[in-house]
Amino acid sequence: MSSAIPVHCKECSVHNNCVLGHLTPEELEQIDRDKGCSIFKKGQIIMPQGSKPSGVYCVFNGKVKFTRLGSEGRDHIIRLGTKGDLLGYRSVLANESLSASIVALEDTQVCFIPKSLLLNFINENVGFSLSMMQQACQDLGESGKMITNLAQKNVRQRLAEVLLMLNAKFGKDQDDFLDVKLSREEYANMVGTATETLIRLLSDFKIEGLIETNVKRVKLVDEIKLANIAQLEN
Amino acid sequence: MSSAIPVHCKECSVHNNCVLGHLTPEELEQIDRDKGCSIFKKGQIIMPQGSKPSGVYCVFNGKVKFTRLGSEGRDHIIRLGTKGDLLGYRSVLANESLSASIVALEDTQVCFIPKSLLLNFINENVGFSLSMMQQACQDLGESGKMITNLAQKNVRQRLAEVLLMLNAKFGKDQDDFLDVKLSREEYANMVGTATETLIRLLSDFKIEGLIETNVKRVKLVDEIKLANIAQLEN
DNA sequence: ATGTAAACCTGATAATTGTCACAATCGTTT
DNA sequence: AAACGATTGTGACAATTATCAGGTTTACAT
């Protein structure tokens, strides 16, 4: 981790897709006074599982994973975060320790907002408070979907779903590849399967013409068939 | 569903374990004026998946399941609710349709609180607002745990965990049996497995002296061994 | 450019779990 | 009490997935 040149919150580009966009200009200036900006290199732990964070990070750019260490030493990626997401808010608001480590998937610039400040805003700004609550409830809905998927779908279906989810969350780069780089092991940890099984399925998809791969990059070729495999309802 | 004699919220016994306990006496009286009380018989749908509820139910007594219909027509139980729980709050606050049906596991008495009233309280009562948010964040933490369990544990481990979870949530009746009655199919839908597999595992547990069963009732005999099987961390 | 560790891939095999078919039991209605 | 349907239970088998044991390629530091 290293510190970085701070941007003024008022001019920050992430506003449109960030709950902090609901704060007043004065409140944003308050953040400016207290916040700390830092850069985490790819692979670095931003917040470790089990710790009680003293505030939240707002992602300025980059990508992160929320990864939970299960009892048998295997990791599971329960969520991904990107520009505009607040990291650790669940833990701060529930006053519980972090149930997952937050790790940088690429070099990631974040701003730290102390817990006290966040709670102030919630107390004083009803609009912000409501949108925080909405965020939590939406995330809860996502989790519910994930639970049903893990419980009812097989690995092939879940992989198709993960690929489409990545497309929805991160979009495509200029070459039409998914704009996020994940190792095979990380894919496996998202799908909830062994790395070998995941590799085999990815090549199956490649053979069937559903995707193309180029080292760490993946391109979705036939999204409709993928959606059929995933059996998406919504 | 049938209507029931309303109890005054101020004197309601569920306060201690209910977010509504954070409301002022005046706010509770407001609920009294607007609320509707009803009883759902065992098996009745309280709120159907896909609908957008116009308010929430507060459980006065009884037990409910949150059950999601997956794409292959199989149900999955993602959560259970009991006295003091608010039903449908996630959907109301996220302004999304219900991702699961809420179904009575036994005769269940509930009070309906309109959405507008709930939002008023959130706008005007910071303490209540915060405790609603905490509730959402705690539920989110629970979901995360469930996700990791489904992804990393096998059926046997998950069954052990479900049994312990039921014990923690519902406790024991006077005969030391779990104070909740579920069919084998419902157990299977909680664990995320086929009914036949679940039945086999339950008899295994019985043979190994971990549990006793009596028709629909289950008694935990060796909670320590169950915890070992489930590999509980916390 | 070269050595080394990590990541990726493949095959063989074992373990887990699901599916189907059917029998036994229980509870409810007639 | 008989009859019906729903639930519970069992066995055989198939499908899915994990594990282990290797090879190959890639990325990166020196």
Side-chain angles (χ1 to χ4, degrees):
Chain A
M1 171 180 126
S2 58
S3 67
I5 305 110
V7 179
H8 280 301
C9 288
K10 273 199 281 191
E11 290 117 40
C12 181
S13 55
V14 305
H15 274 185
N16 305 334
N17 38 10
C18 178
V19 279
L20 300 182
H22 292 81
L23 294 176
T24 65
E26 294 75 40
E27 287 167 333
L28 291 175
E29 272 173 34
Q30 258 187 288
I31 297 185
D32 274 334
R33 279 197 294 277
D34 286 5
K35 79 181 177 191
C37 299
S38 38
I39 295 176
F40 289 88
K41 290 266 165 202
K42 176 178 172 172
Q44 281 188 313
I45 296 173
I46 298 174
M47 289 175 152
Q49 179 171 349
S51 68
K52 266 205 177 182
S54 58
V56 301
Y57 285 110
C58 180
V59 179
F60 177 64
N61 62 37
K63 299 179 183 74
V64 305
K65 60 179 174 182
F66 293 69
T67 180
R68 247 179 100 101
L69 190 63
S71 43
E72 268 137 311
R74 272 176 54 192
D75 264 334
H76 188 239
I77 296 175
I78 56 178
R79 200 145 45 100
L80 297 176
T82 184
K83 190 194 265 200
D85 286 339
L86 280 196
L87 311 181
Y89 83 86
R90 191 206 68 77
S91 178
V92 165
L93 294 182
N95 199 30
E96 293 175 352
S97 57
L98 273 167
S99 60
S101 293
I102 304 174
V103 178
L105 281 174
E106 51 187 61
D107 292 0
T108 297
Q109 210 170 336
V110 294
C111 297
F112 182 81
I113 302 166
K115 178 173 181 169
S116 57
L117 203 53
L118 190 77
L119 292 179
N120 272 356
F121 295 151
I122 288 172
N123 280 336
E124 285 161 21
N125 185 331
V126 172
F128 173 68
S129 172
L130 249 178
S131 68
M132 273 302 319
M133 210 176 295
Q134 270 181 22
Q135 183 67 56
C137 290
Q138 278 171 24
D139 287 350
L140 191 52
E142 282 298 312
S143 290
K145 226 185 267 180
M146 212 162 182
I147 289 172
T148 313
N149 285 341
L150 282 167
Q152 296 192 345
K153 292 184 182 173
N154 63 27
V155 179
R156 182 180 161 89
Q157 294 169 322
R158 298 207 299 270
L159 173 57
E161 176 136 30
V162 162
L163 289 171
L164 293 167
M165 182 273 287
L166 291 173
N167 186 41
K169 174 130 193 148
F170 298 107
K172 300 173 174 67
D173 63 16
Q174 64 272 26
D175 301 329
D176 254 17
F177 282 81
L178 289 179
D179 197 14
V180 57
K181 285 182 189 172
L182 297 164
S183 69
R184 301 292 190 258
E185 188 180 4
E186 283 170 328
Y187 272 107
N189 289 345
M190 294 196 68
V191 172
T193 190
T195 309
E196 296 93 326
T197 303
L198 182 115
I199 289 172
R200 284 183 242 269
L201 283 172
L202 264 192
S203 11
D204 287 353
F205 279 8
K206 209 169 164 181
I207 292 168
E208 296 170 43
L210 303 172
I211 63 170
E212 286 172 26
T213 62
N214 184 335
V215 197
K216 277 220 171 190
R217 301 195 308 163
V218 175
K219 186 199 283 188
L220 305 192
V221 176
D222 194 337
E223 292 180 31
I224 295 166
K225 270 194 194 161
L226 282 172
N228 283 340
I229 291 171
Q231 305 203 71
L232 293 185
E233 303 102 68
N234 30 23
Chain B
M1 173 179 124
S2 57
S3 67
I5 305 110
V7 180
H8 282 301
C9 288
K10 273 199 280 190
E11 289 118 41
C12 181
S13 55
V14 306
H15 275 183
N16 305 333
N17 38 10
C18 178
V19 279
L20 300 182
H22 292 80
L23 293 176
T24 65
E26 294 75 40
E27 287 167 335
L28 290 176
E29 272 173 34
Q30 260 187 286
I31 297 185
D32 274 333
R33 280 198 293 277
D34 286 6
K35 78 179 176 192
C37 299
S38 38
I39 295 175
F40 290 88
K41 290 261 165 207
K42 176 179 174 173
Q44 280 189 312
I45 296 174
I46 299 174
M47 290 175 151
Q49 180 171 351
S51 68
K52 266 204 178 183
S54 59
V56 300
Y57 285 111
C58 180
V59 179
F60 177 63
N61 61 36
K63 299 180 182 72
V64 305
K65 60 179 175 182
F66 292 69
T67 179
R68 248 180 99 100
L69 190 63
S71 43
E72 271 136 307
R74 271 177 52 191
D75 263 335
H76 188 238
I77 297 175
I78 55 177
R79 201 143 46 97
L80 297 177
T82 184
K83 188 195 266 200
D85 288 337
L86 281 195
L87 310 181
Y89 83 86
R90 191 206 68 79
S91 180
V92 165
L93 294 182
N95 199 30
E96 292 174 355
S97 58
L98 273 167
S99 59
S101 292
I102 303 174
V103 178
L105 281 175
E106 51 188 62
D107 293 1
T108 297
Q109 209 169 337
V110 293
C111 297
F112 183 79
I113 302 165
K115 178 174 180 168
S116 56
L117 203 53
L118 191 76
L119 292 178
N120 272 358
F121 295 151
I122 288 172
N123 281 334
E124 285 160 22
N125 184 332
V126 172
F128 173 68
S129 172
L130 251 178
S131 70
M132 273 302 318
M133 211 175 295
Q134 270 182 22
Q135 182 68 55
C137 289
Q138 279 171 24
D139 287 350
L140 191 51
E142 282 297 313
S143 291
K145 225 185 270 182
M146 212 161 181
I147 289 172
T148 312
N149 285 341
L150 281 167
Q152 297 192 344
K153 291 184 182 173
N154 63 28
V155 179
R156 183 179 159 89
Q157 294 169 323
R158 299 207 299 273
L159 173 56
E161 177 136 29
V162 162
L163 290 171
L164 291 167
M165 180 274 287
L166 291 173
N167 187 40
K169 176 131 189 145
F170 297 107
K172 301 174 173 67
D173 64 14
Q174 64 272 26
D175 300 328
D176 255 18
F177 282 80
L178 288 178
D179 196 14
V180 56
K181 283 182 189 172
L182 297 164
S183 69
R184 300 293 190 256
E185 188 179 5
E186 282 169 329
Y187 272 106
N189 289 345
M190 295 196 68
V191 172
T193 191
T195 308
E196 296 93 327
T197 303
L198 182 114
I199 288 172
R200 284 184 241 268
L201 282 173
L202 264 191
S203 9
D204 287 353
F205 279 8
K206 211 168 161 181
I207 292 168
E208 296 170 42
L210 303 172
I211 62 170
E212 286 172 26
T213 63
N214 184 335
V215 197
K216 279 217 169 192
R217 302 195 306 162
V218 175
K219 184 200 281 189
L220 306 192
V221 176
D222 193 338
E223 292 181 31
I224 295 167
K225 269 194 193 161
L226 283 172
N228 284 338
I229 291 171
Q231 306 203 70
L232 293 186
E233 302 102 67
N234 30 24

